[in-house]
């Protein structure tokens, strides 16, 4: 069989492009097939930053900072001009787009093909696009997912927005005032807070007991409390059963509550983009929420690999890139590598930020038994930097074995995204918690929180070792008595 490319990558967002560049660096020949890149999530991040800035400016008075109108003693009101904010966000998207442009990829040796294409199985496995048949030794599906829409009575006829189109579809100069968000995905938590900070009235509705069922409950509760402080009304254990339009208002029936709103955002999960790919013909299987892959990220056709949102799980760009690395190496060389999500962190850009890696306390206790686990925690208020910046809401929680092996961590607080990365590295490199405790972190810095949390381990070891405590007491008693 003759081939045109060592790998054909289908889907060219940040992950597809990342995989394509990594392949060319390894001197493999690569085709990247892309239908239409959507940088919606960068747009969202920009809006989220504007929301945080607005909040920061509103809090300025706590630091004794007051702004007054020229020639009057009236205080300034903080407000966001949506068209200008959207223009700023579009500018960021355009910069990122430029950095990842097809011209740059082509210059680096990637054959970029615009189109949608589909697999064909005969006479040989190939990917047909724009009247061309791309024959790859292997294929990588990085073609993402789209919002899953629940079968709720009246939802389709009433109309709704999703995480993919929320910002792009807003045409008015002002945001709709009242929002209902259905579903507690990581991204919907962030969007709820951003909308509230931009002046909207937001109700977040989830059908489970927690806004984020896979997160440490203590921390999910703290995050929920912060959302409520920001003015988000949170309804848990409240399944939405019906949606309807009455005149120009939308109405939501959630358990025994009827809620009137201007706009609805549906965020209950994603489903893979698979329909147009002709996957059944080439033996690739899928489920409702994801493609079926093994630990090597091979689909049920061993020459076709997949990574990113198309294979399900939490949708995060860094998780997609991690999977792309594994899938790419398996596809180009011998398929030996297996995914291990234990050391891949993820974070929500909420304020305070939530970041998690490895096992939660409950998962660790289930896997190793409750007596084998130590939970080390430190609150942000103990760190000088948090006091200086006035952001003392936060906690760092490390889950460790008695041996000092780190199993997981959850951090809620400023710079949690930065703190989680060294913990992920410690987990992957099996660096014991005592080494994190010996950090000598820069003072004042948020890393102190990590250092202090890790030091709890030595303190716990000492407190639970009576023989060592007796020895130390005796040792210093002896030195004092003998003046040594
Ligand atoms: C509102 C929002 C906020 C987010 N915030 C964050 C965040 O803060 N941090 C974070 O890590 N992640 C965030 N994410 C998630 C992140 O965007 C995704 O996890 C990441 O982009 C995964 O990349 P992917 O390549 O799997 O899928 P996508 O980014 O969806 O890319 C798939 C690509 O494949 C193309 N494609 C689809 N079908 C075909 C076809 N048949 N042929 C050719 N091409 C095709 C599409 O056009 C698209 O460009 C957010 C997502 C949303 C919606
Ligand atoms: N990283 C992880 O640890 C992990 C683990 C499991 C699942 N996931 C992923 O997280 C995503 C969500 O998973 P899930 O199993 O919670 O999905 P789900 O469809 O059961 O729920 C998603 C969210 O929508 C809410 N919801 C759904 N229907 C609703 C309704 N009618 N009314 C009100 N709220 C409603 C749920 O309460 C939840 O907050 C999926 O994409 C899944 O693959 C991640």
């Amino acid at each position: 069989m003759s081939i045109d490319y060592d790998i054909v990558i289908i889907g060219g967002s940040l992950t597809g492009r990342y995989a394509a560049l990594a392949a060319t660096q390894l001197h493999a020949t690569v085709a990247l097939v892309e239908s239409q890149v959507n940088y919606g999530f960068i747009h969202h991040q920009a809006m989220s930053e504007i929301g945080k800035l607005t909040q920061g400016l509103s809090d300025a008075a706590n630091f004794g900072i007051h702004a007054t109108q020229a020639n009057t003693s009236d205080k300034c009101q903080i407000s966001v001009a949506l068209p200008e904010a959207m223009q700023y966000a579009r500018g960021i998207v355009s910069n990122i787009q430029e950095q990842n442009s097809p011209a740059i990829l082509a210059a680096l040796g990637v054959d970029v093909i615009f189109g949608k294409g589909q697999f064909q199985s005969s006479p040989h496995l190939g990917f047909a696009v724009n009247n061309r048949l791309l024959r790859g030794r292997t294929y990588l599906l990085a073609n993402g997912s789209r919002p899953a829409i629940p079968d709720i009575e009246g939802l389709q006829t009433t109309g709704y927005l999703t995480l993919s189109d929320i910002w792009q579809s807003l045409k008015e100069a002002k945001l709709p005032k009242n929002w209902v968000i259905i579903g507690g995905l990581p991204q919907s938590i962030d969007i709820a807070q951003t909308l509230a900070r931009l002046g909207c009235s937001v109700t977040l509705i989830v059908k489970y007991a927690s806004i984020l069922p896979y997160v440490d409950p203590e921390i999910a509760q703290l995050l929920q409390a912060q959302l409520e402080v920001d003015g988000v009304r949170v309804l848990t254990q409240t399944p939405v059963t019906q949606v309807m339009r009455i005149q120009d208002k939308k109405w939501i029936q959630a358990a025994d509550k009827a809620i009137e709103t201007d706009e609805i955002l549906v965020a209950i999960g994603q489903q893979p983009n698979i329909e147009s790919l002709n996957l059944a013909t080439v033996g690739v299987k899928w489920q409702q929420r994801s493609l079926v892959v093994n630990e090597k990220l091979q689909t049920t056709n061993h020459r076709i690999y997949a990574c990113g949102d198309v294979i399900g799980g939490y949708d995060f760009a860094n998780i997609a890139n991690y999977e792309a690395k594994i899938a790419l190496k398996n596809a180009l060389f011998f398929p030996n590598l297996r995914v291990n999500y234990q050391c891949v962190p993820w974070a929500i850009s909420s304020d305070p930020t939530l970041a998690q890696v490895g096992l939660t306390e409950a998962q660790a206790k289930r896997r190793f038994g409750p007596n084998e686990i130590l939970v080390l925690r430190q609150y942000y208020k103990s760190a000088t930097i948090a006091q200086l910046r006035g952001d003392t809401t936060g906690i760092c929680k490390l889950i460790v074995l008695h041996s000092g092996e780190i199993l997981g961590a959850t951090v809620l607080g400023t710079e949690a995204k930065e703190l989680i990365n060294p913990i992920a590295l410690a987990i992957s490199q099996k660096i014991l918690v005592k080494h994190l405790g010996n950090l000598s972190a820069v003072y004042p810095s948020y890393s102190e929180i990590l250092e202090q949390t890790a030091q709890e381990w030595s303190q716990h070891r000492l407190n639970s070792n009576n023989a060592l405590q007796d020895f130390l007491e005796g040792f210093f008693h002896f030195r004092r008595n003998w003046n040594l």
Side-chain angles (χ1 to χ4, degrees):
M1 177 200 73
S2 69
I3 60 142
D4 307 316
Y5 298 98
D6 293 305
I7 189 157
V8 174
I9 300 173
I10 295 127
S13 85
L14 294 177
T15 306
R17 275 151 206 248
Y18 171 82
L21 286 178
T24 56
Q25 278 163 9
L26 291 166
H27 298 279
T29 49
V30 191
L32 180 70
V33 184
E34 168 55 35
S35 51
Q36 187 199 3
V37 183
N38 177 351
Y39 286 103
F41 97 90
I42 305 282
H43 194 119
H44 167 68
Q45 288 302 326
M47 296 306 288
S48 174
E49 289 304 323
I50 292 169
K52 285 182 191 122
L53 200 54
T54 313
Q55 183 64 36
L57 291 173
S58 311
D59 290 344
N62 298 338
F63 297 83
I65 302 169
H66 302 279
T68 47
Q69 306 269 42
N71 302 327
T72 78
S73 57
D74 292 348
K75 291 215 171 118
C76 286
Q77 277 267 304
I78 307 291
S79 65
V80 177
L82 188 65
E84 289 162 46
M86 296 284 267
Q87 195 180 353
Y88 171 78
R90 279 193 292 270
I92 307 273
V93 169
S94 141
N95 291 345
I96 306 268
Q97 229 157 1
E98 209 173 301
Q99 283 163 17
N100 292 284
S101 74
I104 291 181
L105 286 179
L108 293 166
V110 179
D111 201 352
V112 184
I113 297 145
F114 289 101
K116 253 197 148 167
Q118 54 176 244
F119 281 102
Q120 67 177 51
S121 59
S122 73
H124 300 292
L125 179 62
F127 194 77
V129 55
N130 300 349
N131 299 321
R132 281 179 67 184
L133 182 65
L134 310 175
R135 287 166 307 168
R137 179 174 296 109
T138 53
Y139 301 81
L140 177 62
L141 288 168
N143 56 320
S145 61
R146 62 181 186 284
I149 307 304
D151 190 15
I152 295 174
E153 189 188 332
L155 184 62
Q156 291 294 350
T157 48
T158 307
Y160 55 85
L161 298 178
T162 64
L163 291 171
S164 305
D165 61 12
I166 169 171
W167 300 110
Q168 291 86 334
S169 56
L170 293 172
K171 301 275 181 277
E172 305 287 323
K174 278 177 77 177
L175 283 168
K177 177 74 187 142
N178 300 296
W179 290 73
V180 164
I181 301 180
I182 307 175
L185 300 180
Q187 284 83 12
S188 58
I189 305 296
D190 182 11
I191 285 186
Q193 190 177 44
T194 300
L195 288 171
R197 288 183 168 188
L198 294 176
C200 302
S201 214
V202 184
T203 304
L204 174 69
I205 307 180
V206 300
K207 70 175 174 187
Y208 303 134
S210 165
I211 51 166
L212 288 168
Y214 306 108
V215 169
D216 182 294
E218 179 187 5
I219 294 201
Q221 197 58 47
L222 265 172
L223 183 59
Q224 178 174 333
Q226 182 59 45
L227 286 178
E228 286 165 344
V229 167
D230 278 309
V232 178
R233 179 185 180 204
V234 180
L235 302 177
T236 54
Q237 290 180 299
T238 314
V240 174
T241 48
Q242 198 185 5
V243 174
M244 65 188 104
R245 182 183 281 277
I246 303 176
Q247 290 166 347
D248 62 340
K249 288 283 181 190
K250 298 177 179 184
W251 283 84
I252 306 263
Q253 186 65 44
D256 60 351
K257 294 180 181 63
I259 303 162
E260 185 191 299
T261 186
D262 300 314
E263 198 46 272
I264 299 170
L265 178 73
V266 173
I268 65 125
Q270 298 285 114
Q271 64 185 70
N273 289 328
I274 47 169
E275 287 71 16
S276 62
L277 292 169
N278 206 14
L279 290 177
T281 314
V282 290
V284 173
K285 294 191 176 146
W286 64 90
Q287 296 161 343
Q288 199 187 357
R289 290 284 178 99
S290 59
L291 276 187
V292 176
V293 287
N294 63 19
E295 287 181 315
K296 297 174 181 179
L297 300 181
Q298 271 168 322
T299 65
T300 42
N301 179 325
H302 73 277
R303 283 173 60 198
I304 304 176
Y305 290 76
C307 64
D309 295 359
V310 74
I311 64 170
Y314 272 171
D315 297 338
F316 287 107
N318 69 308
I319 297 183
N321 283 357
Y322 166 76
E323 290 163 346
K325 272 186 243 173
I326 303 275
L328 187 71
K329 286 189 184 147
N330 281 340
L332 293 178
F333 303 106
F334 298 103
N336 293 331
L337 299 176
R338 288 164 201 276
V339 278
N340 172 10
Y341 291 104
Q342 272 318 90
C343 21
V344 188
W346 57 265
I348 307 179
S349 306
S350 50
D351 181 17
T353 311
L354 168 68
Q356 189 162 299
V357 65
L359 302 181
T360 61
E361 180 180 351
Q363 287 167 336
K365 283 182 173 163
R366 270 199 302 277
R367 188 175 303 177
F368 293 93
N371 298 331
E372 303 305 314
I373 302 300
L374 282 179
V375 180
L376 313 173
R377 39 162 89 66
Q378 191 61 249
Y379 293 91
Y380 267 52
K381 60 178 183 239
S382 67
T384 309
I385 188 84
Q387 295 286 348
L388 286 170
R389 302 251 176 109
D391 56 8
T392 48
T393 306
I395 178 173
C396 174
K397 213 167 156 180
L398 285 176
I399 315 301
V400 300
L401 287 172
H402 286 282
S403 63
E405 185 184 334
I406 306 168
L407 300 174
T410 311
V411 185
L412 180 79
T414 305
E415 303 294 349
K417 282 185 191 172
E418 304 298 337
L419 291 185
I420 208 74
N421 293 325
I423 305 176
L425 182 68
I427 295 177
S428 77
Q429 299 306 307
K430 301 218 172 299
I431 296 169
L432 297 177
V433 69
K434 69 177 177 195
H435 298 303
L436 292 185
N438 287 334
L439 253 183
S440 309
V442 168
Y443 176 86
S445 71
Y446 286 99
S447 298
E448 274 180 74
I449 297 165
L450 178 55
E451 183 185 2
Q452 288 170 6
T453 317
Q455 282 167 356
E456 294 275 304
W457 182 79
S458 318
Q459 196 56 52
H460 174 89
R461 295 269 294 183
L462 183 59
N463 292 349
S464 55
N465 189 338
N466 291 336
L468 181 59
Q469 288 186 51
D470 290 346
F471 166 78
L472 288 171
E473 213 169 289
F475 174 74
F476 287 112
H477 186 72
F478 174 78
R479 285 196 76 165
R480 279 194 297 273
N481 278 354
W482 290 89
N483 240 356
L484 290 173

